[in-house]
Amino acid sequence: MTRPKPAPLTASTPGIVRRDAVPAPGIVHLGLGNFHRAHQAVYTDAAISAHGGDWGIIGVSSRSSAVTNAMHAQDMTYTVVEISPEGSTFSTPRVHSDAFVAAENPERVVAEIGAASTRIVSLTVTENGYTYSPATGSLNVADADVQHDLVQAAAPRTPIGQIVRGLQQRSRTHGEPVTILSCDNLSDNGHHTRRLVREFISLLPAAEANETRQWIDANVTFPSSMVDRIVPATTEHYRTLVAEQLGYTDRIPVPAEPFTMWILEDNFIAGRPAWEAGGAVFTDDVAGYEQLKVRLLNGTHSLIAYLGALSGAATIPDSTALDYVEHAARAILRHEYLPSVTVPADVDVDSYEAQLFSRWRNSALGHRTSQVGSDGSVKLRQRIPLPALQMLDGGVMPHFLALTTAAYLSCIAPLHGFDPGIHAHKMQDPARESLQRLAAGSASGRELAAKVIGQLHLLGDELATRDDFIHRTGELIDIIHQHGPLAAARAAAESTALLPAQSRSNP
């Protein structure tokens, strides 16, 4: 006998914990992906449940309609599946009042940001979504979409363009203040977003630019934040799990680890939800937590992903289970990233490290190496240069930072004749095509590193001048290509972190 198909999830599904109605909108969120739906939306749900408020979220997807269509079909509901080896728990946040696709209705993005009811505009658009140059940190003025947004004010395509045009609409109409809240893994993300907004404005006609800048300076705040939760992609496995465990069909369940953290600067000019009800922490030391996250967590995570992909590991737990990967990860975390971090007073570093490895070993979650390794051309620019330069200036070669760069390039732009494997091929990267062209014209890893780091300035202007780091990265690329990632990790480990850069010898 065939079992009947479960009914679709809706707001009236029996047994779903929910409020009677979605709160009136007060937040416009750019980037309606899994991370937002398992992080900010969950905190907002807790805040409204505890203290109320008109803080409903209008979710804006950039181009894909998959999530927005499902949200509408499911009364703006979905399931968050917290995954651990001990089992799964489920929740159904109900905070989204609407959802739409920016590419299909760009005028509406401007209108929603410009609406008087909107008091916060938040973003999870990934590092790549800010349309800036990783080498300089400045707005990528040459980008075709940025050029479009400078001319086509009514229909902007980039998040920075959308924000500026929405703010201009506010200034021309009601003039109500608003907060722009970046929730992406960018160094000092609030000030970074503010700087990009101001750079965009500076390219407008002088009178328009002056008027817009003055209004923003008086009426808009850009608090910094640090977000942390591992949220893999949705797969059929999680849809099946929800159907079997809860008895309904959810097209867009979001898997997530139990751990979650949100650190914010409390600088919201138009008010905010009581996110602390969900565990958010408000502090003046966002930078300290951010350094922990971006370097110790994200930076080490990248090394695990690239080495794992090159070793055939499909997931982060599979990669971490390889002894040589764990040893490399602990080495880069302790000896190369940690010295560059000002640790917040309430953080125990040993406990933080143990917690990280416990999270990376969460085999039930199965975070894919191809997902973590994507967009490295933007991510590594945030993670590698400062600690690498600090070590180099102290006369010490950062071998594992060089290994991260070498493993990344081996995944995204391998030399002729080297196959990095299926998981590397699945990684997405905006620089893949340009990097592969450089690889095609390179006879060795040393030549490729010189082109990518020295000429293209992939890791910024300062590292582009550090021939010792470039040379070491090239050596490790050659070792990966000739002997594999295990040999390269051993070469990095044998060249101890205390060996001066100037006196380093070949492995």
Side-chain angles (χ1 to χ4, degrees), residues 289-300:
Y289 288 95
E290 174 195 277
Q291 289 175 10
L292 280 178
K293 164 73 183 314
V294 172
R295 296 180 196 159
L296 273 64
L297 191 160
N298 295 135
T300 307

Side-chain angles (χ1 to χ4, degrees), residues 83-85 230 232 238 257 301 304-305 307-309 311-326 356-372:
I83 307 292
S84 73
I230 296 175
Y238 298 109
E257 66 171 335
H301 212 189
I304 292 171
L307 291 179
S311 300
T315 69
I316 294 298
D318 291 341
S319 181
T320 308
L322 299 170
D323 287 345
Y324 92 89
V325 173
E326 179 176 341
L356 288 181
F357 278 90
S358 176
R359 294 167 66 190
W360 291 328
R361 291 193 188 100
N362 186 345
S363 57
L365 196 63
H367 204 187
R368 304 192 73 79
T369 53
S370 58
Q371 182 182 359
V372 176

Side-chain angles (χ1 to χ4, degrees), residues 285-292 295-296 337-345 347 349 390:
D285 189 23
V286 173
Y289 288 95
E290 174 195 277
Q291 289 175 10
L292 280 178
R295 296 180 196 159
L296 273 64
Y337 279 125
L338 183 57
S340 71
V341 171
T342 302
V343 180
V347 174
V349 172
Q390 181 175 305

Side-chain angles (χ1 to χ4, degrees), residues 257-295:
E257 66 171 335
F259 178 89
T260 181
M261 180 182 283
W262 198 5
I263 311 295
L264 301 102
E265 179 185 6
D266 202 354
N267 184 23
F268 291 79
I269 195 171
R272 62 168 177 82
W275 283 317
E276 53 267 61
V281 175
F282 291 87
T283 178
D284 293 331
D285 189 23
V286 173
Y289 288 95
E290 174 195 277
Q291 289 175 10
L292 280 178
K293 164 73 183 314
V294 172
R295 296 180 196 159

Side-chain angles (χ1 to χ4, degrees), residues 111-345:
E112 296 293 0
I113 294 175
S117 58
T118 298
R119 289 173 282 167
I120 296 173
V121 179
S122 50
L123 303 88
T124 51
V125 294
T126 76
E127 296 94 329
N128 191 42
Y130 289 77
T131 328
Y132 73 101
S133 167
T136 64
S138 298
L139 187 70
N140 184 4
V141 179
D143 183 87
D145 287 338
V146 172
Q147 288 295 316
H148 170 276
D149 292 356
L150 290 168
V151 178
Q152 301 294 332
R157 296 173 180 169
T158 68
I160 297 300
Q162 291 162 351
I163 289 169
V164 171
R165 297 311 186 181
L167 294 178
Q168 287 182 316
Q169 179 155 316
R170 298 181 76 90
S171 69
R172 290 192 299 265
T173 52
H174 50 80
E176 291 294 322
V178 68
T179 296
I180 309 299
L181 175 63
S182 170
C183 300
D184 285 296
N185 290 324
L186 295 164
S187 178
D188 197 13
N189 57 12
H191 293 98
H192 183 80
T193 305
R194 181 177 183 270
R195 183 175 68 252
L196 294 176
V197 164
R198 291 177 65 87
E199 288 177 4
F200 184 99
I201 292 169
S202 71
L203 300 171
L204 299 173
E208 179 184 2
N210 289 335
E211 179 182 359
T212 302
R213 188 183 302 109
Q214 290 176 12
W215 186 86
I216 288 176
D217 287 347
N219 295 281
V220 184
T221 54
F222 296 82
S224 287
S225 71
M226 186 281 283
V227 297
D228 189 3
R229 192 174 205 184
I230 296 175
V231 181
T234 298
T235 65
E236 198 60 37
H237 167 76
Y238 298 109
R239 297 185 184 96
T240 301
L241 182 64
V242 168
E244 291 177 347
Q245 295 290 318
L246 302 180
Y248 59 73
T249 300
D250 186 348
R251 293 160 56 182
I252 51 169
V254 183
E257 66 171 335
F259 178 89
T260 181
M261 180 182 283
W262 198 5
I263 311 295
L264 301 102
E265 179 185 6
D266 202 354
N267 184 23
F268 291 79
I269 195 171
R272 62 168 177 82
W275 283 317
E276 53 267 61
V281 175
F282 291 87
T283 178
D284 293 331
D285 189 23
V286 173
Y289 288 95
E290 174 195 277
Q291 289 175 10
L292 280 178
K293 164 73 183 314
V294 172
R295 296 180 196 159
L296 273 64
L297 191 160
N298 295 135
T300 307
H301 212 189
S302 290
L303 179 60
I304 292 171
Y306 296 128
L307 291 179
L310 292 169
S311 300
T315 69
I316 294 298
D318 291 341
S319 181
T320 308
L322 299 170
D323 287 345
Y324 92 89
V325 173
E326 179 176 341
H327 292 159
R330 290 191 183 278
I332 196 171
L333 187 155
R334 293 172 180 171
H335 304 304
E336 300 192 5
Y337 279 125
L338 183 57
S340 71
V341 171
T342 302
V343 180

